[in-house]
Every structure is written in C-alpha cells, then in structure tokens.
Amino acid sequence: MEHLELFFKSIFVDNMVFAYFLGMCSYLAVSKKVATAVGLGAAVIFVLAITVPLNWLLDQYLLQEGALSWLGPEYADYDLSFLSFIMFIATIATMVQLVEIIVEKFSPGLYNSLGIFLPLIAVNCAILGGSLFMQSREIETLGLALNYGIGSGIGWFLAIIAIAAIREKIRYSNVPAPLRGLGITFIITGLMAIGFMSFGGMLTGGDEVAEDNVQTVDGMVTAQKEHKITDLVIEEINDTDNK
Amino acid sequence: MRLLSKKDSKLIMDPLADNNPITIQVLGICSALAITAQLKPSIVMAVSVIFVMGAGNVVISLMRNIIPSKIRIIVQLVVVATLVIIVDQVLKAYAYSLSKELSVFIGLIITNCIIMGRFEAFALANGPWRSFLDGIGNALGYGVILIIVGFFRELLGSGTLFGFKVLGDSVEKTGLYAIGYENNGFMVLPPMALIVVGIIIWVQRSRNKELIED
C-alpha cells in the first residue's frame, strides 16, 4: 500500500514538471516532436531509476549524520551531509557516462534512440532534483527509493509526451505572433499544471489537507478525526495481519 | 577613462534584454519558477546565482587550457557544486528559515542550464575578465526575470512586498481592500509562475518584433 501510494504520488501529485518545474530546460527544448520526446522521457525514467537508489545508498551509509557508524564507533558522530550536492552530482555524471558506454556496447539500437539524449540528462534538473527530494523527504527503504525514482521518471515522461503532442497540433492554430513558440508553450504548461493540481486531493495520506479542513469548519473536525481514527485502526489491523 | 569598453559593456547589457537567458535562450527555468511566489526568496536566489556564475566563469576560464575536453562536463559540475555548497552553507548559517524555504532549489543551481551553458559557450573560450562580465551579465538577466515574477506574484497574490502590507490589510479591510479589492490566491500557486513568464515573453516579443519565432 505504501509503495502504491508513493508511486501514484510521485507520478501525479508531486509531478516533477507541473509541481516543481524540474527538468524544464530539456522539457521545453526537446518537446517539438512526440518521437524525440518519447526517447528523452524513456532515458529520464531509466537514469532516475538507477541514480535515486544509488544516491539513497550513498546518503544512508556515507552522508547522513551518524551514517558512518558502520565503520566503527569513533566515526559515529560525523555528519557529511554538506557534501551531498557534490556526491550526488558526481554519481549522476558518472552513472550517465557509464550507462551511455554500456548501452552503446550491448544495444546499438537502443543507443541510437536513447544515446543522444544521455549527455543532456547529466545536467537535467529532474535527475538531481529526484535525488535531493529523496534526501529531504527522508525516504525510508531502498525499495521505496527505487519506486520514487521510477514514479517521478514516469511523471516526467507523461508531461513531456503530453506537451509534445499539444505542440505538434498547435502548429495549425492561429496563435498571436509574439506568443508563438516559447510563450504559448509556457502558458499551456501553466494550464496543464492547474489541471494536475486537481490530483492533489486524490490520496488519503493528505494530512495537510485534513488540517486545513479542521481550521475551517468546526462540525467537520469530528468527522475528519473519526475518519483519521478509522484509517489508523485499519492500518493497525493490516499491520497485525502482515505479522 | 571608462571602466568598461564598449564590447565589455555589451557583454553585460545584452543578456538583460534582447538575449535574456530565460525568455530568449530558454535556459535555467528549472530552479527559477518554484521559488518566485514571494519577492524575498527570488532575490536571494538571484544573488546566489550571480555569485555562482561570476565565480564559476572565472574559475573555468582560468582552467580552460588544462581541462581535457573529454571530462570537461564533470570538471564543470564539480566547480559549480563546490560554489553551490558554499552558498548553501552561508545561507544555512545566516538565514536558516530562508534556506529551509528554498529547500532543494539551492542545490538545483548546480544543474541550472544557464551556468553550464555559459561555461560551454563562453568561459571555455575567453579570458577571465570577459568571462566574469559574461557570467554577471547572464546571471543579472536571470535575476531580473526572477524579481519581476516574484514582484507580481507576491503583490497580486498576497498583497505584500517583502512581507509588508503595501495594499492595506485584507482582514481589517483598510487601504485598497476597503473598496472591495481581493487578493488573487491563484497567483501564489506554482502554475501561475509559468503563466507570468509566458506573459513577460509576450510583452517582450511584441515590443521587439525581431524576436518572434515563426
């Protein structure tokens, strides 16, 4: 359940493009045709699925406060988290290079469709953003980190395909001259982002939403609380079942 | 004696308007939009980027003859990452709440396409002084857009500037609110940043017809 929730949340609610504007540069530059957009989108999913779990391991066993305790008790109070930017970006750059070499060697077909995008990806904000969000949200397990990587990759993939399809069609419409190209793309993305905001209420885990409701209507408070309590009870039952 | 020659001042002035990194070159939008809901974080972000770009361009330009071209991307990333770590640590030490507010977006300066773009396009081929000017110019062009977007979003969205209630008090109905003005809560939400930038592009391109795409 936890996995499913995180998966949907990272695709729709916390969509990389529409909620956080990550990877906008390549999103705008490579979205003129659906075919190329698919290639770049697939490459992003691929790289995110590799780098997020990898950086999770780095964060957990090297960077966090007390992460070095596996070396011995005298290392237990080292806090290297200030190094995380440089570690993450180095991991990403080397992984992208490595993936490029491996793909070129073993699958020339895939390399021809993905390869040209791979160097672009090293500096794609969505990739570094994925790792930094993974760190700041304190994702708990390696499985969840992998899940988060793939989920946000798919979210980015959907966004770039949608905008590429719209841009292919919009060529036939009469857009005001100064807005043509970049301007209208910005505004369409804004409108799509407004649409994606409606996914915000989709998940039951929205504690912030519940708190907002508590402030507005007094009668709602008890209802919300009861709702939350039943949720908790159900969770407990599930937990005991699992055990 | 003039401080800057004509060619040098062009390096600074061009990116401010007709070759603006955000609206014309379409670079560096990633970290720009999410933090512009208010003016203060926008300015902090702009200053951070000015520092990182100015210093980074100089460093890369000084090393341009000893960087092997095959690994230049990694070298550039390491230089930017180091500078960004400095910015991040300074913010954490002196403006902790702001650094919390900007959260991962300070880190994302590393992958800001303007910085990598200027390293590739300018610093690798020019001397330190010219590279410095180019870096400052482009970062200023970026900062100007950020500040414009932040200004309108904070003014129309919450009726404040830097947290000061410039339009009157919305609860006690003073100032503009007395005659029925309301805040547009929509301006604070992320999608409006995109639409505001879209409008800036619209205005800029209708003033200068040469910039229109076909």
Side-chain angles (χ1 to χ4, degrees):
Chain A
M1 191 59 210
E2 199 184 5
H3 276 271
L4 203 65
E5 197 175 308
L6 182 72
F7 189 65
F8 277 105
K9 201 168 173 217
S10 48
I11 295 180
F12 293 111
V13 183
D14 290 337
N15 187 290
M16 282 277 182
V17 175
F18 297 130
Y20 298 106
F21 313 108
L22 298 181
M24 286 296 283
C25 309
S26 23
Y27 167 87
L28 291 168
V30 196
S31 61
K32 286 193 177 119
K33 270 185 168 165
V34 174
T36 44
V38 171
L40 183 68
V44 166
I45 299 183
F46 195 53
V47 174
L48 266 174
I50 296 173
T51 55
V52 173
L54 208 65
N55 280 335
W56 184 86
L57 288 173
L58 270 180
D59 186 44
Q60 214 70 11
Y61 295 108
L62 210 60
L63 298 171
Q64 269 182 12
E65 189 173 1
L68 285 171
S69 53
W70 56 273
L71 270 178
E74 67 270 31
Y75 295 99
D77 31 320
Y78 279 67
D79 181 6
L80 295 180
S81 54
F82 68 96
L83 284 177
S84 43
F85 293 157
I86 210 162
M87 291 294 281
F88 286 176
I89 198 70
T91 319
I92 289 166
T94 39
M95 279 322 292
V96 167
Q97 202 92 54
L98 211 64
V99 166
E100 195 182 346
I101 295 167
I102 293 171
V103 170
E104 188 181 12
K105 177 92 178 152
F106 291 106
S107 163
L110 184 66
Y111 180 75
N112 284 337
S113 54
L114 270 185
I116 42 168
F117 298 114
L118 282 172
L120 250 181
I121 279 180
V123 289
N124 187 326
C125 330
I127 310 291
L128 182 64
S131 292
L132 289 175
F133 273 126
M134 173 273 296
Q135 190 193 31
S136 72
R137 284 180 197 162
E138 291 164 5
I139 285 180
E140 279 156 21
T141 63
L142 185 63
L144 282 174
L146 176 70
N147 182 336
Y148 179 70
I150 294 176
S152 29
I154 293 176
W156 202 88
F157 179 81
L158 285 179
I160 193 168
I161 289 184
I163 194 74
I166 293 176
R167 282 181 84 172
E168 272 192 10
K169 288 284 172 207
I170 213 161
R171 225 171 289 154
Y172 306 109
S173 6
N174 187 16
V175 178
L179 266 182
R180 252 173 237 161
L182 190 58
I184 196 73
T185 314
F186 265 103
I187 290 175
I188 292 171
T189 312
L191 295 177
M192 284 161 79
I194 294 171
F196 264 70
M197 276 171 57
S198 54
F199 285 114
M202 201 173 72
L203 292 169
T204 48
D207 288 337
E208 294 162 62
V209 181
E211 275 163 23
D212 280 351
N213 286 346
V214 171
Q215 286 171 352
T216 46
V217 190
D218 274 339
M220 293 274 291
V221 175
T222 43
Q224 285 283 348
K225 274 185 186 160
E226 274 168 20
H227 191 65
K228 278 188 103 172
I229 290 166
T230 45
D231 274 357
L232 282 176
V233 171
I234 291 169
E235 265 177 36
E236 271 174 24
I237 292 169
N238 283 342
D239 280 350
T240 45
D241 277 356
N242 289 339
K243 279 165 198 164
Chain B
M1 200 184 97
R2 286 183 48 180
L3 187 62
L4 300 171
S5 71
K6 208 169 187 185
K7 234 167 129 192
D8 284 350
S9 66
K10 199 167 146 46
L11 282 177
I12 288 209
M13 295 314 292
D14 253 15
L16 283 182
D18 289 347
N19 199 13
N20 189 285
I22 291 189
T23 60
I24 310 296
Q25 304 170 28
V26 212
L27 296 174
I29 300 146
C30 328
S31 55
L33 299 177
I35 44 89
T36 48
Q38 281 169 344
L39 199 47
K40 206 166 150 195
S42 321
I43 289 179
V44 171
M45 190 71 177
V47 172
S48 315
V49 170
I50 291 173
F51 166 73
V52 172
M53 275 205 78
N57 253 5
V58 171
V59 172
I60 291 292
S61 163
L62 286 173
M63 299 201 302
R64 68 185 187 279
N65 295 323
I66 52 168
I67 302 176
S69 72
K70 272 202 169 165
I71 57 156
R72 64 176 195 284
I73 301 268
I74 291 199
V75 175
Q76 288 164 2
L77 284 174
V78 170
V79 171
V80 190
T82 318
L83 291 166
V84 170
I85 289 176
I86 296 174
V87 170
D88 186 50
Q89 296 294 316
V90 169
L91 277 183
K92 269 190 187 142
Y94 293 103
Y96 189 71
S97 59
L98 254 178
S99 113
K100 271 273 160 284
E101 201 176 321
L102 291 167
S103 69
V104 302
F105 291 98
I106 286 290
L108 288 171
I109 298 177
I110 299 173
T111 46
N112 192 322
C113 329
I114 303 178
I115 297 180
M116 296 298 284
R118 291 330 287 174
F119 283 2
E120 284 282 300
F122 202 90
L124 281 175
N126 287 283
W129 172 238
R130 281 170 59 79
S131 301
F132 176 72
L133 291 179
D134 180 78
I136 297 286
N138 276 285
L140 278 175
Y142 169 89
V144 164
I145 300 291
L146 231 64
I147 289 166
I148 296 176
V149 177
F151 175 81
F152 281 111
R153 281 182 74 192
E154 187 172 354
L155 186 69
L156 300 178
S158 21
T160 55
L161 286 177
F162 294 110
F164 293 112
K165 294 173 177 146
V166 287
L167 296 183
D169 199 306
S170 57
V171 182
E172 288 163 18
K173 302 277 176 219
T174 56
L176 260 186
Y177 297 99
I179 53 170
Y181 175 81
E182 288 288 340
N183 283 332
N184 183 358
F186 218 54
M187 293 299 281
V188 185
L189 299 174
M192 282 314 285
L194 287 161
I195 293 178
V196 172
V197 174
I199 293 169
I200 294 175
I201 292 174
W202 192 356
V203 171
Q204 191 184 17
R205 293 191 182 184
S206 37
R207 284 165 54 103
N208 187 347
K209 299 274 186 234
E210 284 168 18
L211 300 173
I212 292 173
E213 293 174 43
D214 37 42

